[in-house]
């Protein structure tokens, strides 16, 4: 049996939404509100579940309504609708907005409904130009999927015919906490200083009318209250008559959020549309760990409507509803921004925007995100201002590179054009990065500098001056772009919070005492490699070789670096080696003593440049006497410099690996942290007395157990058995191979964190006990191999002293 209802009944679809719940609260004093939605409203009340995409669900919902509340309804307010901002014509627009409205109207047939109020949008109308207004007579010409579906739903309402209806064409909704997606995203872009926040592809004087939630609810209330006086087929525009232009919003938000003038540049629409399309097309290639699987908000269709202007003539709302907006977006904007600053994560959630990773991290660390952002930004700006010599110098390097070709003699046309274009890019990027807001362009500057280094090798220039010039300019450009502080891209949480020393460690593996030896060794390798590259490129007629000679016009080094192995590379391999050493020096200079957690990607790159490439260097040394039949003194020096870097780099790699594992266990976005860094657990060593902590840092993680030094000596002996014991053929080659590997293993094990690697030499020792009986070995060679094998096994068993703690890594240091 129907419940006895004394108040007029208002049925609201979509009551669980923001507007629905507010409207229900506003009407409850004078009306009996019944809600319909797919989910129960948070504030309870009379609610019936309904799915507008299902005939059965709609029929059952209306049957339940009749049973519980009878056949008389004062007003039906239809708020339920599907909405997204992709611009795609999704099937849900038709199923929910159009067919759902039709199902609802059919189900209402037979009930006495005094009024049907539809929540429409002003966007169904043809837009106007800045300075003009639209009224209800403006043509119905929606420009994208959502308003098209709303216009189609209104046609369904109009032809239904037996229920008086009012179509409220509403402006963009906002209140003190949330805003229509376009405005909320605009606020978020400016808050995050997103590069797109400085660009706009439409008319900067165009804007769209807005309406405060309280004013919208008041308009619905007045429409329902006056249902007896209103005509049965009425359309009313409801919104603030004046629209803040995009430019005015930009300026106001820049001042409110950052306290500064916000300059907005006009972007040609075709270029903007192409960029939006490219960004959307590339989204599937972007790991979900970075973009959360979300498509970019700005879609190509938005570029097409960017100049649409919606200022409203609301005379009909004034005359028929007695409605006048009591709020103005310009007056409420400070409160909306204040809500953002007060609790940024909550504001992002309320507006349905995924917060940046650093913001979520700051919330998890129970710190004040807005204070953290301001502090990090202030420190970044101060550091940038203190290092403006860097961008100016990059611009000067670009100008130098442009002016160089005429002064350097004969150069290939390709290299001339390369220098001219690269110089222009350096000049442009240098000037642009004078602005701290464009600091991210420094990474592009580094890429240009890398090409400048590489170009003489690609084009095999025979001009020594051009090669030297590009080497110096490219190196300086990369160093000035990325080695000078501040480093762009580091999370404010990583930059401002967290330890210098990893948890469970006694020193920072990113300390300068750890990096400087690597950089000095890389400098030795650079000088050697560049000297050999000059011979390969034809800049020098001979190469110094004090020990190894071969029959013919070339010495051992010249034979090696012009062999088929070297010439198999598409560029001079010695020049490529020099480039790698330059990158080692630069990457060694980048970042603070906390870079093991602030720049995991850089530590990984640093390790790749050293460890795998060190193995490549050893491989090249191994094949020299075996494949080519001679030695190269300079190659040996370069390889030794590369291999000696390995133990000094391992501890930083271990610390970074431990850090990433801890963050993964904490449920963090591992890929994002890999590129932007993060905070970490507190370190006991960080709380130690400063003098003690500094002393621990200076110790470092490399020491020299005598047992490992003996293993290195055994390796050197094995590499020279051709000279010392007369080893020949396969036996000599085996000694040389095992000796080279033994040295590499022992040197790597000099790092305390790499000490277990020494056990690999036991396998090499076993191999030495076997090889004399496999290959034709003389007596001296036989005894040499057996003694070295036993020695390598015996001296590899003791671990050697491990002085320091490395967190849970110590349990692996057997």
């Amino acid at each position: 049996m129907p419940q006895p209802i004394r108040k007029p009944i208002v049925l609201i679809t979509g009551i669980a939404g923001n507007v629905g719940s507010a409207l229900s609260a506003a009407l409850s004093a004078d009306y009996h509100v019944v809600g319909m939605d797919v989910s129960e409203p948070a504030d309870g009340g009379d609610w019936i579940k309904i799915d507008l995409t299902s005939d059965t669900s709609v029929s059952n919902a209306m049957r339940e309504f009749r049973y519980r509340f009878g056949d008389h309804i004062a007003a039906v307010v239809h708020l339920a609708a599907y909405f997204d901002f992709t611009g795609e014509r999704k099937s849900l627009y038709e199923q929910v907005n159009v067919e759902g409205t039709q199902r609802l109207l059919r189900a209402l047939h037979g009930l006495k409904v005094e009024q049907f109020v539809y929540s429409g949008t002003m966007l169904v109308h043809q837009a106007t130009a800045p300075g003009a207004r639209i009224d209800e007579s403006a043509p119905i010409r929606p420009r994208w999927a959502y308003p098209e579906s709303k216009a189609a739903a209104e046609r369904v309402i109009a032809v239904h015919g037996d229920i008086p209806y009012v179509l409220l064409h509403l402006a963009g909704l906002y209140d003190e906490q949330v805003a229509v997606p376009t405005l909320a995203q605009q606020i978020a872009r400016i808050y995050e200083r997103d590069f797109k926040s400085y660009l706009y592809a439409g008319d900067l004087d165009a804007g769209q009318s807005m309406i405060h939630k309280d004013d919208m609810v008041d308009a619905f209330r007045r429409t329902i209250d006056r249902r007896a006086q209103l005509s049965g087929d009425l359309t009313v525009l409801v919104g603030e008559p004046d629209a803040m232009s995009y430019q005015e919003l930009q300026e106001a938000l820049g001042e409110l959020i950052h306290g500064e003038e916000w300059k907005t540049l006009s972007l040609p629409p075709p270029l903007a549309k192409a960029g939006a399309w490219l960004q959307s097309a590339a989204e599937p290639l972007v790991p979900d760990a970075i973009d959360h699987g979300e498509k970019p908000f700005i879609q190509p269709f938005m570029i097409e409507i960017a100049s649409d202007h919606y200022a409203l003539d609301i005379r009909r709302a004034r005359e028929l509803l007695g409605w006048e907006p009591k709020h103005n977006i310009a007056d409420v904007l400070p409160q909306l921004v204040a809500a953002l600053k007060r609790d940024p994560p909550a504001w992002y959630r309320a507006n349905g925007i995924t917060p940046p990773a650093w913001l979520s991290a700051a919330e998890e660390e129970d710190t004040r995100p807005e204070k953290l952002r301001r502090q990090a930004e202030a420190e970044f700006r101060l550091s940038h201002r203190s290092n403006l010599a860097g961008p100016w110098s990059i611009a000067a390097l670009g100008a130098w590179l442009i002016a160089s070709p005429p002064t350097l003699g004969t150069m290939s046309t390709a290299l001339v054009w390369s220098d001219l274009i690269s110089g222009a890019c350096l000049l442009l990027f240098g000037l642009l990065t004078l602005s701290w807001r464009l600091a991210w362009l420094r990474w592009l500057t580094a890429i240009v500098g890398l090409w400048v280094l590489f170009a003489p090798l690609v084009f095999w220039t025979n001009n020594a001056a051009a090669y030297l010039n590009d080497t110096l300019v490219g190196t300086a450009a990369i160093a000035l772009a990325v080695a000078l502080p501040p480093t762009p891209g580091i999370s404010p949480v990583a930059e401002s919070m967290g330890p210098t020393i990893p948890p469970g460690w006694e020193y920072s593996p990113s300390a300068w005492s750890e990096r400087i030896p690597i950089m000095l060794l890389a400098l030795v390798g650079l000088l050697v490699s560049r000297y050999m590259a000059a011979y390969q490129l034809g800049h020098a007629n001979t190469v110094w070789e004090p020990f190894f000679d071969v029959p013919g016009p070339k010495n051992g080094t010249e034979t090696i670096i012009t062999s088929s192995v070297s010439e198999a590379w598409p560029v001079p391999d010695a020049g490529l080696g020099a480039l790698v050493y330059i990158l080692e020096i630069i990457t060694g200079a980048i970042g603070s003593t906390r870079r093991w957690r602030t720049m995991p990607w850089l530590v990984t790159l640093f390790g790749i440049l050293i460890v795998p490439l060190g193995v490549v260097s050893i491989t090249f040394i191994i094949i020299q006497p075996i494949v080519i039949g001679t030695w190269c003194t300079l190659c040996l020096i370069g390889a030794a410099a590369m291999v000696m870097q390995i133990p000094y780099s391992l501890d930083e790699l271990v610390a970074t690996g431990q850090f990433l594992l801890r963050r993964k266990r904490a449920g963090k976005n591992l890929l994002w942290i890999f590129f932007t860094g993060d905070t970490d657990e507190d370190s006991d060593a960080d709380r130690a007395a400063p003098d003690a902590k500094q002393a621990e840092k200076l110790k470092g993680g490399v020491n020299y157990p005598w047992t490992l030094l003996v293993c290195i000596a055994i390796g050197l002996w094995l590499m020279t058995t051709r000279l010392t014991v007369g080893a020949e053929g396969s036996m000599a080659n085996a000694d040389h191979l095992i000796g080279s590997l033994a040295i590499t293993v022992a040197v790597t094990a000099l790092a305390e964190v790499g000490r277990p690697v020494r056990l690999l030499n036991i396998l090499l020792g076993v191999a030495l006990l076997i090889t004399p009986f496999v290959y034709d070995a003389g007596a001296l060679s036989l005894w040499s191999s057996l003694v070295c094998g036993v020695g390598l096994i015996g001296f590899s068993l003791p671990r050697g002293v491990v002085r320091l703690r490395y967190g849970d890594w110590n349990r692996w240091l057997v």
Side-chain angles (χ1 to χ4, degrees):
M1 292 292 294
Q3 301 175 10
I5 303 297
R6 295 183 180 180
K7 298 178 183 177
I9 293 176
V10 173
L11 173 62
I12 302 176
T13 68
I15 196 168
N18 186 23
V19 176
S21 58
L23 180 57
S24 174
L27 295 175
S28 59
D30 300 312
Y31 297 90
H32 186 96
V33 178
V34 179
M36 288 188 175
D37 211 321
V38 292
S39 57
E40 184 175 2
D43 55 359
D46 286 320
W47 166 74
I48 299 172
K49 186 173 183 178
I50 190 172
D51 179 359
L52 291 174
T53 65
S54 167
D55 290 326
T56 302
S57 177
V58 174
S59 298
N60 290 342
M62 203 54 63
R63 187 180 301 112
E64 181 179 349
F65 176 88
R66 284 183 170 181
Y67 177 77
R68 293 172 58 183
F69 305 107
D71 295 338
H72 188 273
I73 303 176
V76 175
V77 181
H78 187 27
L79 301 176
Y82 173 75
F83 170 84
D84 74 12
F85 243 113
T86 64
E88 300 174 9
R89 288 175 170 79
K90 296 183 178 179
S91 59
L92 283 175
Y93 279 127
E94 183 70 21
Q95 295 171 16
V96 177
N97 297 2
V98 183
E99 295 173 2
T101 299
Q102 194 169 43
R103 290 186 185 97
L104 178 63
L105 288 168
R106 281 201 305 263
L108 290 172
H109 184 72
L111 280 74
K112 184 179 179 181
V113 180
E114 298 179 36
Q115 183 187 58
F116 186 90
V117 184
Y118 185 65
S119 174
T121 172
M122 67 181 181
L123 300 178
V124 299
H125 291 286
Q126 179 177 318
T128 186
R133 300 180 188 277
I134 63 169
D135 60 20
E136 290 79 2
S137 65
I140 302 297
R141 291 177 184 168
R143 301 279 304 277
W144 56 286
Y146 170 68
E148 285 175 357
S149 71
K150 300 294 276 186
E154 291 181 359
R155 291 194 293 272
V156 169
I157 295 169
V159 300
H160 195 269
D162 59 347
I163 300 177
Y165 65 86
V166 178
L167 307 176
L168 295 183
H169 286 179
L170 303 167
L173 180 65
Y174 73 95
D175 61 20
E176 287 77 10
Q177 175 74 17
V178 300
V180 66
T182 47
L183 177 56
Q185 290 280 350
Q186 184 179 0
I187 294 172
R189 287 194 299 270
I190 292 178
Y191 181 72
E192 298 171 31
R193 293 191 182 272
D194 189 309
F195 179 65
K196 294 187 290 294
S197 67
Y198 298 97
L199 307 172
Y200 193 62
D203 186 345
L204 288 169
D205 293 325
Q208 295 192 2
S209 173
M210 307 289 286
I211 183 171
H212 191 279
K213 182 173 69 174
D214 292 346
D215 289 333
M216 180 182 287
V217 168
D218 183 47
F220 277 109
R221 171 64 187 259
R222 289 172 181 269
T223 302
I224 296 168
D225 288 346
R226 301 187 181 204
R227 61 190 179 280
Q229 289 82 41
L230 300 177
S231 64
D233 56 349
L234 180 64
T235 299
V236 183
L237 277 166
V238 180
E240 295 163 16
D242 297 319
M244 286 187 73
S245 70
Y246 192 86
Q247 180 70 58
E248 290 170 336
L249 280 172
Q250 289 281 97
E251 292 173 353
L253 291 171
E255 178 62 35
L256 290 168
I257 296 174
H258 297 295
E260 62 187 60
E261 181 182 356
W262 204 264
K263 296 181 180 179
T264 308
L265 304 176
S266 293
L267 192 65
L271 181 61
K273 192 171 181 179
W277 177 86
L278 183 62
Q279 192 175 18
S280 296
E283 190 279 329
L285 303 177
V286 179
D288 289 348
I290 292 179
D291 67 359
H292 305 278
E294 298 176 355
K295 290 187 176 181
F297 178 76
I298 297 177
Q299 297 292 316
F301 84 94
M302 295 183 186
I303 311 301
E304 298 175 1
I305 62 175
S307 295
D308 287 359
H309 183 71
Y310 287 92
L312 307 182
D313 181 343
I314 61 169
R315 281 178 294 179
R316 183 175 291 183
R318 289 190 181 108
E319 294 169 0
L320 299 182
L321 303 181
W323 179 86
E324 187 85 30
K326 296 181 177 63
H327 303 79
N328 184 282
I329 182 62
D331 297 330
V332 178
L333 210 54
Q335 299 173 60
L336 188 57
V337 171
L340 166 64
K341 290 187 171 183
R342 187 167 52 251
D343 191 346
W347 186 92
Y348 272 80
R349 286 191 294 269
N351 284 275
I353 303 174
T354 301
W358 71 265
L359 196 56
S360 300
E363 183 182 31
E364 290 173 8
E365 295 298 325
D366 197 26
T367 189
R368 294 175 60 186
E370 173 58 18
K371 180 180 179 181
L372 178 66
R373 182 197 66 79
R374 290 200 308 268
Q375 176 184 336
E377 184 175 291
E379 292 174 354
F380 189 95
R381 295 177 71 167
L382 177 61
S383 180
H384 180 271
R385 190 161 52 248
S386 300
N387 291 281
L388 284 178
W392 281 118
S393 298
I394 290 170
L397 287 172
W400 174 271
L401 201 57
I402 293 172
S404 293
T407 68
L408 297 177
T410 304
M411 294 170 57
S412 68
T413 302
L415 187 57
V416 169
W417 277 107
S418 172
D419 281 359
L420 292 176
I421 295 172
S422 300
C425 290
L426 290 178
L427 177 59
L428 176 63
F429 291 157
L431 294 176
L432 288 176
T433 51
L434 287 170
S435 168
W436 69 274
R437 298 178 183 88
L438 296 176
W440 59 271
L441 286 174
R442 290 165 57 182
W443 299 117
L444 294 182
T445 305
I447 292 174
V448 175
L450 182 61
W451 168 253
V452 173
L453 279 175
F454 203 51
L457 306 179
V458 172
F459 301 122
W460 286 82
T461 182
N462 58 5
N463 186 318
Y467 180 34
L468 176 62
N469 189 62
D470 281 6
T471 299
L472 295 177
V473 170
T475 302
I478 298 173
L480 291 168
V482 297
L484 281 181
T487 304
I490 298 177
S491 161
V493 174
E495 191 69 66
S496 305
M497 302 172 60
T500 298
I501 298 174
W505 288 53
E506 297 180 64
Y507 71 102
S508 169
S510 298
W512 286 104
S513 59
E514 293 291 298
R515 288 190 264 167
I516 287 176
I518 298 175
M519 296 165 67
L520 291 176
L521 289 167
L523 179 61
V524 173
L526 168 61
L527 296 175
V528 168
S529 295
R530 201 177 180 287
Y531 175 55
M532 291 189 291
Y535 180 80
Q536 289 179 320
L537 290 169
H539 306 160
N541 295 324
T542 187
V543 179
W544 175 75
E545 175 51 77
F547 302 114
F548 306 106
D549 205 356
V550 293
K554 297 180 179 179
N555 60 36
T557 297
E558 294 168 351
T559 301
I560 293 290
I561 62 179
T562 58
S563 66
S564 59
V565 176
S566 287
E567 292 180 350
W569 291 83
V571 297
D573 62 334
L576 188 61
L579 191 151
V580 170
Y581 285 119
I582 288 171
L583 294 180
E584 284 182 22
I585 295 170
I586 294 174
T587 53
I590 300 173
S592 69
T593 54
R594 297 173 295 170
R595 74 176 195 168
W596 57 268
R597 64 171 180 79
T598 61
M599 305 178 74
W601 69 270
L602 181 72
V603 173
T604 303
L605 175 62
F606 193 46
I608 290 172
L609 289 171
I610 294 173
V611 179
L613 293 178
V615 173
V616 170
S617 294
I618 282 294
T619 303
F620 192 54
I621 294 301
I622 289 172
I623 68 172
Q624 285 181 9
I626 297 175
V627 176
I628 304 173
T630 187
W631 292 86
C632 164
T633 302
L634 293 176
C635 298
L636 289 171
I637 294 172
M642 177 66 83
V643 172
M644 280 303 300
Q645 295 175 54
I646 295 177
Y648 288 97
S649 67
L650 284 182
D651 54 356
E652 194 175 30
L653 284 171
V654 169
T656 296
Q658 290 176 318
F659 162 70
L660 292 173
L661 183 58
R662 285 192 296 272
R663 295 294 86 191
K664 181 181 179 181
R665 289 171 177 169
K668 296 298 187 71
N669 185 327
L670 197 60
L671 186 60
W672 188 264
I673 288 174
F674 181 77
F675 288 107
T676 65
D678 197 11
T679 185
D680 199 6
E681 302 167 6
D682 287 336
S683 170
D684 293 336
D686 268 338
R687 294 193 291 269
D691 291 343
K693 183 168 69 173
Q694 187 63 28
E696 293 297 339
K697 285 183 180 181
L698 293 175
K699 288 181 182 178
V702 178
N703 59 42
Y704 301 89
W706 68 270
T707 51
L708 290 179
L709 295 179
V710 171
C711 288
I712 294 172
I714 291 173
L716 290 171
W717 170 267
L718 289 169
M719 291 179 69
T720 61
T721 55
R722 280 183 173 85
L723 303 176
T724 55
V725 296
E728 297 178 349
S730 297
M731 187 61 200
N733 291 340
D735 283 351
H736 175 71
L737 171 62
I738 294 172
S740 300
L741 294 176
I743 292 172
T744 304
V745 169
V747 169
T748 301
L750 294 176
E752 292 185 0
V753 296
R755 196 59 52 82
V757 174
R758 78 191 187 282
L759 299 177
L760 293 175
N761 271 343
I762 295 176
L763 300 177
L764 296 176
V766 172
L768 286 171
L769 299 179
I770 297 173
T771 52
F773 303 102
V774 176
Y775 303 117
D776 184 17
L780 289 176
S781 182
L782 169 66
W783 282 105
S784 170
S785 185
L786 293 177
V787 171
C788 288
V790 172
L792 205 56
I793 293 171
F795 291 117
S796 296
L797 289 173
R799 186 187 68 173
V801 63
V802 173
R803 300 174 303 165
L804 302 175
R805 292 185 296 115
Y806 304 95
D808 59 4
W809 190 256
N810 281 74
R811 60 182 173 147
W812 302 107
L813 302 184
V814 295

